[in-house]
Amino acid sequence: MPDRPPRYRPPAPPRAPDPRPTAAARGYGSRWQRARLAHLAANPLCVRCEAEGRVTQATDVDHDTPHRGDYPLFWDESNWRSLCHSCHSKKTATEDGGGFPRAPSPPQVPT
């Protein structure tokens, strides 16, 4: 019996370049990876899921207060919390503006 021809898969559209600096340039280099693993070992469950009565393994270390490049706040372990990827994605999208820095809002003029 003859072999089937390979299935055609159209090429994926090109991705837009990420305007942010590299992860390492933003502070998420090897030092962060070691600290992240130590935090997840000590705090292995998602705090948001726990609050809702679910037990879910944490995969991400979140900065409770967004650091926005403030390195003392970035390394403040009291500002870290363990989240599962789903909770971290929801939190980032709703509370942190989707992970990208927002342009400052123009001042509001009273009317």
Side-chain angles (χ1 to χ4, degrees), residues 23-82:
R26 289 182 285 132
Y28 296 99
S30 62
R31 180 179 170 206
W32 168 255
Q33 294 306 322
R34 287 190 306 273
R36 174 189 163 277
L37 289 174
H39 181 81
L40 289 173
N43 305 279
L45 300 178
C46 174
V47 295
R48 283 195 169 185
C49 288
E50 265 189 310
E52 295 174 5
R54 295 188 311 269
V55 177
T56 309
Q57 180 180 1
T59 55
D60 298 1
V61 176
D62 178 58
H63 292 90
D64 194 22
T65 303
H67 60 84
R68 308 230 187 269
D70 176 353
Y71 285 99
L73 184 58
F74 181 93
W75 288 108
D76 180 3
E77 293 183 33
S78 67
N79 188 39
W80 298 354
R81 62 182 174 172
S82 298

